[in-house]
């Protein structure tokens, strides 16, 4: 209206503004104030002379005040809504198309994006306009405008995807829609990030808008806030790159390495240089710890792009090299181990014997070092003891990699995959008719499939294999004439691989090529996987691998979605809708698909082609309902009108002029502070205020201790709010809203259970707070201390900072003896039957007051009894984070492990905590059991 982003839910109510002039004339006349007349019997007769009286006029300022009251009331009834996006101000009922980026780059501020989209759809609903929603990370589909109610339902189902948005795929659908519905408006809620191959969308959308005259509005963050991780690279150390599209003020962070159970193994900080968009993170760890890493993640960044999964290809194997001859120390570059070491160092931890005398001692030294791959270069027959030990190494899952040479050609060794001919075959010599041969193309079923053999590779000599029926199935690579050059056989849980040429350049120039490095990389990657089926090494376990666990848009591992499909065994691309990031194939030999590859980088979207479009920020696109504000202003003006009437009538003068004047002045100054902020403006979490004792006494409430740490207090409030909802839905208890308290100032007796998150960096509570907590626990209250350190705590290891903080805090209290919750404790049966009490983490232990053991000879009781409720409960599982839910009931924090079953068990444990503190050990009371059994028997 009038070019302003203002709409009205009931615009017909504005017609009442026409009555304001009539109201002006009605309010002008003020009846004269009654006069005070004494009652003397004779004087009254003289005062009854007829007089002509004219009514007084209302003062202009009072008249204007009353007209403003009427105007504010009329405007409030009309339902004004301030809509900065301007979509509600368009005339007509043309459709609205809402384009929303829902790739992983939008997960960081996803709530803000949903809020903006929700406001746009609600504005369209007030205008009676149909709405079409297009999620740009979903597969392209025909676009159809629907009623706003259907659009809102679909909007609530949209969630961030764990891959980049595929905007370009939707151009054809948008073109068809705008051709069918000319004049439609479009709103693009963009994340401002362009992934690889996403440069053409802005230009295509600009052409489409210009061709059809579409009015386009773009809402985006001022600077893309998303952070991401590139896929990890396995070299001398495990490295990844922290990425951002442009400098956004988030200049530093921490990357945590986790194992398969979600336990942290290492943390590494990173910092972006001034103006830089990437920073390298490297982990220098022992091989055992490094090979245990299965996940890297940026702390605090809930996004699939901030997670890098590591599979067997990223593991760094320990490889031991043993040479059968005596290396010429004056010519180290001629030794076969030199070529092998240079080829293996980029992706393996290479070890060579130190001070060993002979092959047997070298092999024993390598096996004692627990190598994953044992490489024997031109090693002939082994003695019985060494042979037995190497066979046990292979049968136990080790990989034996052998290279030919004169010693192997002259011996008769059983540790080879095929039967060998003595002597070998010479190609291209003075006494040979044959010329050097090159490698043939690798078969599709070979582990080397996909590698390209250079044409200049030549083999001058090789060891030949005796032909038999098993030879084709054990051949991984061959020459152009069909003779095997690499063979392999599975033995027990391990693998034996033989290169029929030497590891140096004596028999071929293969060690000088890049193909040699790639072949060794694939062979070493098979160590410990158990991938090859018995009896047929040449064929991989499967051509494709089915999804096992996949990431959602917020970076939590879970069950694969319905649209996830299998990937090839050598899949190395970034994740997509069909192949979402996650683990594919068996746990011991699968592959990891990540949202970004090692070479991917993020960059800002180029909005230059869309210069004609209106732009705005997500923060500035907030829709505000102005009704409450206008009603409050009208109420304030009515109060002022009442005071003005009392003043004009002389009442305030008689009561006391100065006091009344002061009251009016104070009221006028306080009126602006009494005007309520529109509901949307209060969407941010408020600081925990002082609790009202009356309200807390009238309703059962859960309380948490305000620590002063914003993240911890926000999680505590949201967590107890989620647990309160579960209690109201599943039990007969109807608790009030949770509240934050200060133990040093607030009354604690109103709350049966107080949740206290431990933040190591905060100051210790005051002595007053400690005394009040001690009195609270002595009088029957329960305090649930949550150190939230289950990921970093180690059994038998040093205490975590949170544990030290709690230990210091409780050192002045008379804390009873504690024990892990027994299986027969009342807490395990208070409402639900539970065995553990997980939260965001499930590995922490939960401690309660130790109870005396049951007397010997007594009958087993259904629940362990005690004198009362445990005054203290200690856990490290971060319960509040698992309970925390948003406005729509969506979880706010992922659980480590990714299984929603864990979150459900956390809610059940929370219900048991509350019921236990309210009812005590009633389930252990056996007093009424005989009477109940007698009644049931009747």
């Amino acid at each position: 209206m009038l070019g302003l982003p203002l709409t009205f839910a009931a615009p017909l109510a504005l017609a009442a503004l026409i009555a304001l002039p009539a109201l002006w004339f009605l309010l002008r006349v003020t009846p004269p104030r009654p006069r005070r007349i004494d009652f003397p019997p004779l004087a009254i007769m003289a005062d009854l002379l007829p007089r002509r009286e004219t009514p007084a006029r209302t003062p202009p300022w009072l008249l204007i005040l009353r007209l403003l009251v009427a105007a504010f009331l009329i405007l409030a009834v009309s339902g004004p809504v301030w809509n900065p996006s301007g979509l509600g101000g368009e005339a007509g009922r043309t459709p609205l198309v809402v384009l929303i980026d829902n790739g992983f780059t939008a997960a960081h501020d996803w709530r803000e994006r949903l809020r903006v989209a929700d406001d746009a759809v609600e504005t369209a609903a007030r205008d009676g306009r149909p709405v079409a929603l297009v999620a740009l990370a979903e597969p392209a589909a025909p676009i159809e405008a629907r009623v706003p109610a259907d659009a809102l339902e679909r909007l609530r189902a949209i969630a961030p995807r764990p891959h980049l948005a595929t905007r370009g795929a939707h151009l054809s659908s948008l073109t068809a829609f705008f051709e069918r519905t000319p004049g439609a408006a479009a709103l693009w809620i963009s994340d401002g990030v362009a992934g690889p191959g996403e440069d053409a969308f802005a230009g295509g959308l600009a052409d489409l808008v210009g061709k059809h005259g579409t009015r386009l509005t773009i809402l985006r963050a001022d600077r893309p806030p998303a952070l991401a991780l590139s896929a990890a690279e396995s070299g001398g150390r495990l490295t990844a790159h922290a990425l951002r599209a442009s400098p956004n003020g988030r200049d530093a962070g921490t990357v945590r390495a986790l194992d398969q159970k979600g336990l942290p193994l290492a943390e590494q900080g990173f910092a972006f240089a001034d103006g830089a968009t990437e920073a390298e993170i490297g982990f220098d760890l022992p091989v055992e710890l490094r090979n245990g890493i299965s996940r890297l993640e940026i702390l605090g960044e809930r996004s699939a792009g901030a997670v890098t999964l590591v599979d067997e290809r990223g593991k760094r194997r320990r490889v031991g090299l043993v040479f059968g001859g005596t290396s010429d120390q004056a010519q180290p570059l001629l030794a076969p181990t030199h070529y092998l070491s240079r080829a293996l160092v980029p992706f393996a931890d290479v070890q060579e014997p130190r001070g060993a005398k002979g092959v047997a001692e070298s092999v024993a030294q390598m096996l004692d070092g627990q190598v994953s791959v044992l490489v024997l270069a031109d090693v002939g027959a082994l003695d019985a003891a060494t042979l037995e030990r190497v066979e046990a190494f292979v049968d136990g899952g080790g990989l034996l990699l052998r290279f030919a040479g004169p010693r192997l050609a002259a011996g008769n060794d059983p540790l080879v995959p095929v039967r060998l001919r003595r002597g070998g075959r010479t190609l291209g010599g003075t006494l040979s008719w044959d010329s050097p041969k090159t490698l043939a193309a690798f078969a599709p079923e070979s582990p080397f499939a996909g590698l390209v053999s250079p044409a200049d590779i030549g083999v001058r000599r090789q060891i030949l294999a005796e032909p038999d029926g098993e030879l084709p199935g054990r051949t991984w690579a061959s020459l152009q004439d069909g003779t095997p050059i690499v063979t392999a056989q599975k033995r027990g849980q391990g693998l034996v691989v033989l290169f029929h040429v030497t590891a140096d350049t004596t028999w071929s120039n293969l060690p000088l090529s890049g193909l040699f490095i790639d072949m060794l990389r694939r062979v070493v990657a098979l160590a410990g996987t158990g991938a090859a089926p018995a009896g047929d090494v040449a064929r991989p376990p499967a051509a494709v691998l089915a999804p096992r666990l996949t990431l959602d848009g917020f970076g939590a591992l879970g069950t694969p979605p319905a649209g996830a499909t299998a990937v090839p065994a050598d899949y190395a691309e970034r994740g997509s809708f069909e192949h979402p990031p996650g683990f594919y194939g068996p746990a011991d030999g699968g592959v990891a698909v990540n949202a970004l590859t090692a070479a991917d980088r993020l960059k800002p979207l180029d909005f230059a082609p869309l210069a004609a479009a209106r732009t705005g920020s997500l923060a500035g696109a907030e829709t505000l309902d102005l009704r409450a504000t206008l009603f409050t202003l009208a109420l304030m003006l009515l109060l002022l009108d009442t005071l003005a009437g009392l003043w004009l009538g002389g009442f305030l003068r008689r009561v006391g002029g100065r006091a009344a004047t002061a009251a009016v002045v104070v009221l006028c100054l306080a009126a602006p502070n009494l005007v309520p902020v529109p509901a949307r403006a209060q969407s941010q979490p408020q600081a925990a205020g002082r609790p009202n004792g009356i309200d807390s006494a009238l309703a059962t409430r859960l309380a948490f201790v305000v620590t002063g740490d914003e993240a911890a207090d926000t999680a505590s409030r949201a967590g107890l709010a989620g647990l309160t909802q579960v209690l109201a839905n599943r039990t007969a208890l109807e608790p009030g809203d949770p509240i934050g308290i200060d133990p040093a100032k607030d009354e604690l007796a109103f709350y049966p259970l107080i949740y206290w998150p431990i933040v190591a960096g905060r100051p210790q509570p005051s002595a007053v707070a400690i005394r009040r907590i001690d009195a609270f626990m002595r009088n029957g209250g329960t305090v649930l201390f949550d150190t939230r350190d289950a990921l970093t705590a180690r059994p038998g290891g040093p205490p975590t900072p949170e544990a030290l903080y709690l230990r210091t805090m409780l050192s002045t209290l008379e804390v009873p003896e504690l024990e892990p919750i027994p299986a027969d404790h009342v807490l395990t049966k208070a409402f639900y039957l539970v065995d553990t009490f997980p939260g965001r983490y499930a590995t922490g232990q939960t401690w309660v007051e130790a109870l005396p053991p049951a007397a010997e000879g007594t009958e087993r009781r259904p629940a362990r009894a005690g004198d009362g409720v445990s005054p203290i409960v200690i856990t490290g599982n971060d319960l509040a984070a698992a309970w925390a839910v948003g406005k729509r009931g969506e979880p706010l924090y992922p659980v480590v492990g990714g299984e929603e079953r864990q979150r459900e068990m956390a809610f059940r444990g929370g219900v048991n905590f509350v019921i236990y503190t309210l009812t005590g050990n009633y389930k252990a009371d056996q007093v009424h059991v005989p009477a109940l059994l007698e009644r049931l028997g009747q």
Side-chain angles (χ1 to χ4, degrees):
M1 177 176 290
L2 301 178
L4 296 176
L6 184 66
T7 59
F8 296 90
L12 294 179
L14 296 176
L17 293 174
I18 302 175
L20 288 181
L23 189 61
W24 170 277
F25 289 103
L26 291 175
L27 295 178
R28 289 179 63 193
V29 179
T30 300
R33 178 169 57 91
R35 289 194 307 149
R36 179 183 180 88
I37 300 176
D38 297 330
F39 188 71
L42 297 177
I44 194 173
M45 301 300 294
D47 201 30
L48 292 180
L49 298 177
R51 293 181 183 179
R52 182 177 180 181
E53 298 180 353
T54 57
R57 297 291 183 180
T58 302
W61 58 269
L62 183 59
L63 191 59
I64 295 174
L65 179 66
R66 292 173 178 175
L67 289 178
L68 285 177
V69 171
F72 283 151
L73 290 175
I74 294 172
L75 290 175
V77 171
S78 65
V81 176
W82 183 264
N83 180 25
S85 63
L87 297 176
E90 297 182 8
R93 298 182 180 272
T94 56
L96 170 66
V97 181
V98 178
L99 310 176
I100 181 169
D101 285 336
N102 65 322
F104 69 78
T105 49
H108 178 79
D109 51 359
W110 181 247
R111 291 191 203 167
E112 292 299 311
R113 300 179 182 279
L114 276 185
R115 174 187 60 77
V116 172
D118 188 88
D119 289 344
V121 175
E122 289 180 354
T123 301
R126 287 190 291 269
D127 293 342
R129 306 173 62 191
V131 178
L133 281 177
V134 182
L136 295 176
E138 308 291 341
I143 301 174
E144 182 180 356
R146 301 179 179 273
V147 295
D150 293 344
L152 281 175
E153 288 297 326
R154 182 166 179 244
L155 179 62
R156 294 187 179 98
I158 296 177
R161 288 290 184 176
H163 51 82
L164 290 167
T166 53
R167 304 183 183 97
H170 296 271
L171 282 175
S172 58
S173 301
L174 289 171
T175 302
F177 177 79
F178 287 124
E179 288 178 350
R180 295 194 312 267
T181 56
L187 170 66
W188 181 13
I189 305 174
S190 174
D191 56 29
V193 179
E198 285 292 324
D199 297 329
F201 179 74
L205 185 60
D207 295 339
L208 185 60
V209 170
K211 179 180 179 181
H212 297 281
T214 301
R215 186 180 182 185
L216 174 64
T217 300
I218 302 174
L219 299 178
R220 57 190 176 92
D222 296 333
R223 293 179 294 177
L227 299 180
L229 274 180
S230 65
E233 297 177 286
S234 180
R237 58 178 185 165
L238 188 66
T239 61
H241 288 83
L243 308 174
R244 58 181 179 178
S246 62
N248 54 11
R250 306 180 67 190
D251 298 326
T254 303
V255 175
R256 174 178 288 174
L258 306 172
D259 62 10
Q260 292 183 353
K261 296 181 179 179
L263 300 176
L265 298 179
E267 288 186 359
Q268 183 67 42
F270 67 89
F272 293 100
D274 292 340
T277 58
E278 63 176 285
E280 182 176 299
I281 305 104
F283 290 89
D284 296 311
L285 298 172
V287 175
E288 292 81 1
L289 286 179
R290 173 176 171 168
N291 289 344
I293 295 176
S294 66
R295 174 186 175 114
L296 303 177
E297 63 179 17
I298 300 177
L299 292 182
E301 186 73 9
R302 296 181 60 238
S303 163
V307 174
T308 289
L309 303 177
V310 182
D311 57 16
E312 292 297 326
R313 296 174 295 184
K315 310 296 183 183
R316 190 171 177 86
R317 304 300 196 279
R318 180 176 289 152
V319 180
L321 304 182
V322 176
F323 178 41
T326 57
S327 300
D328 187 353
Q329 299 300 321
Q331 299 291 336
L333 299 182
L334 300 180
T337 53
H338 171 74
Y339 296 92
L340 290 171
S341 177
R342 294 293 299 273
L344 291 169
V345 159
F347 55 86
D349 183 19
V350 179
Q351 297 185 358
E352 298 187 48
R354 302 293 182 185
K357 299 179 180 179
V359 173
E361 190 172 341
S362 299
V363 171
Q365 191 177 116
M366 294 296 98
L367 295 182
D368 290 341
Q370 297 182 348
V371 296
S372 302
V373 180
L374 178 62
V375 181
L376 302 182
D378 191 19
V379 174
L382 301 173
D383 60 76
T386 304
L387 179 63
E388 181 180 359
R389 189 169 182 187
V390 174
E391 288 178 339
F393 164 74
V394 175
D395 292 339
L399 191 151
L400 176 62
L401 176 59
R402 307 199 64 175
F403 286 86
R407 294 169 182 80
L408 182 62
N412 186 13
D413 196 331
L415 283 176
V416 290
V418 294
R419 292 187 298 115
L420 303 177
R421 291 185 181 181
R422 285 181 173 271
R425 174 193 184 193
T426 302
L427 304 170
T430 57
L431 300 179
S432 173
W433 293 94
D434 296 327
S435 60
K437 303 293 184 182
T438 187
L439 298 179
F442 299 111
E445 63 271 11
S446 170
F448 306 137
L451 299 180
V452 178
S453 174
D456 58 351
I457 289 182
V459 175
R460 298 182 297 275
R461 185 176 177 184
Q462 69 176 130
I463 291 182
L464 293 177
E466 291 286 354
D468 56 26
E470 296 180 346
L471 182 60
R474 298 180 180 178
T475 301
W476 281 4
S478 59
L479 299 179
Q480 289 180 332
D481 60 2
T483 57
I485 198 69
V486 180
T487 56
Q489 179 190 16
K490 184 172 178 63
R491 292 191 178 185
Q493 298 298 320
L495 201 61
V496 178
V497 182
L498 171 64
F499 278 69
H500 291 237
V501 294
T502 57
D504 56 15
T505 59
T506 306
W507 288 12
S508 73
N509 62 353
L510 176 63
L512 298 177
S513 67
L515 176 65
F516 188 63
I517 300 176
D518 293 335
M519 295 175 71
L520 289 181
R521 184 190 299 271
R522 295 200 178 186
V523 171
V524 171
L526 296 174
T529 63
D536 191 1
V537 175
R539 293 179 177 83
V544 293
L545 302 175
R548 177 167 52 90
L549 290 172
T550 57
L551 294 172
D552 63 13
F554 295 106
L557 277 172
T559 305
T565 58
V567 300
D570 58 349
Y571 189 81
E573 302 296 326
R574 72 181 69 90
S576 62
F577 180 83
E578 295 80 10
H579 309 308
F583 291 108
Y584 289 72
D588 56 352
V591 300
V593 177
N594 287 296
L596 296 173
T597 65
D600 286 339
R601 296 296 182 267
L602 301 180
K603 59 183 180 179
L605 270 171
D606 183 13
F607 292 98
L610 297 167
R614 293 185 301 165
T615 60
S617 66
L618 295 177
E622 198 169 15
T623 298
L624 305 178
D625 191 342
L626 303 178
R627 286 177 295 184
T629 303
L630 292 174
F631 275 122
T632 305
L633 289 174
L635 180 62
M636 294 295 103
L637 294 179
L638 282 174
L639 183 58
L640 290 176
D641 179 76
T642 302
L643 293 175
L646 294 175
W647 177 269
L648 294 176
F651 177 78
L652 296 182
R653 296 191 187 95
R654 292 195 300 271
V655 173
R658 293 183 180 180
T661 304
V664 171
V665 171
V666 171
L667 182 61
C668 293
L669 294 177
N673 298 324
L674 298 177
V675 177
V677 179
R680 291 290 189 182
Q682 296 180 353
S683 59
Q684 298 297 328
Q686 300 293 320
R690 299 295 302 276
N692 187 310
I694 297 178
D695 293 340
S696 299
L698 295 179
T700 302
R701 297 175 184 270
L702 303 180
F704 67 93
V705 173
V706 178
T707 63
D709 183 84
E710 183 179 356
D713 294 342
T714 300
S716 299
R717 182 179 296 277
L720 293 189
L723 181 59
T724 297
Q725 294 178 14
V726 171
L727 287 167
N729 294 335
R730 303 187 184 183
T731 71
L733 177 64
E734 295 184 0
D737 294 334
I739 198 163
I741 61 172
D742 182 355
K745 300 177 181 179
D746 299 322
E747 178 58 54
L748 308 181
F750 300 124
Y751 313 107
L753 177 66
I754 297 177
Y755 177 79
W756 194 324
I758 301 300
V759 181
R762 302 299 301 171
Q764 285 285 339
S766 63
V768 176
I770 294 297
R771 289 196 303 270
R772 292 171 67 89
I773 284 292
D774 183 52
F776 172 75
M777 293 192 296
R778 288 176 180 274
N779 293 327
T782 298
V783 181
L784 174 55
F785 293 99
D786 194 342
T787 57
R788 308 179 302 158
D789 60 351
L791 275 181
T792 55
R794 289 288 184 274
T800 62
E802 293 79 8
L804 289 175
Y805 181 96
L806 180 61
R807 184 180 300 175
T808 303
M809 183 173 65
L810 299 181
S811 60
T812 58
L813 297 178
E814 295 184 9
V815 179
E817 181 183 355
L818 302 178
E819 66 175 352
I821 295 182
D824 60 345
H825 198 276
V826 178
L827 263 172
T828 64
K829 303 172 176 65
F831 192 85
Y832 287 105
L833 299 179
V834 296
D835 298 324
T836 59
F837 296 86
R840 189 178 187 184
Y841 317 120
T843 56
Q845 186 66 263
T846 303
W847 299 78
V848 295
E849 179 185 3
L851 299 178
E856 296 184 1
T858 59
E859 185 179 356
R860 181 173 177 82
R861 302 169 69 172
R864 194 169 182 182
D867 294 333
V869 176
S870 175
I872 183 172
V873 180
I874 300 177
T875 184
N877 285 332
D878 198 359
L879 302 180
W883 298 336
V885 295
K887 294 181 179 179
R888 296 181 175 88
E890 74 280 5
L892 297 184
Y893 304 94
V895 295
V896 173
E899 294 293 338
E900 286 304 312
R901 177 68 177 172
Q902 180 176 329
R903 193 184 305 277
E904 170 62 23
M905 297 307 296
F907 276 121
R908 295 186 180 186
V911 172
N912 277 21
F913 278 128
V914 176
I915 298 300
Y916 170 66
T917 55
L918 291 175
T919 62
N921 56 355
Y922 73 100
K923 287 202 173 182
D925 190 358
Q926 301 293 300
V927 175
H928 304 289
V929 169
L932 294 176
L933 293 177
E934 181 180 357
R935 177 171 297 183
L936 290 175
Q938 295 176 356

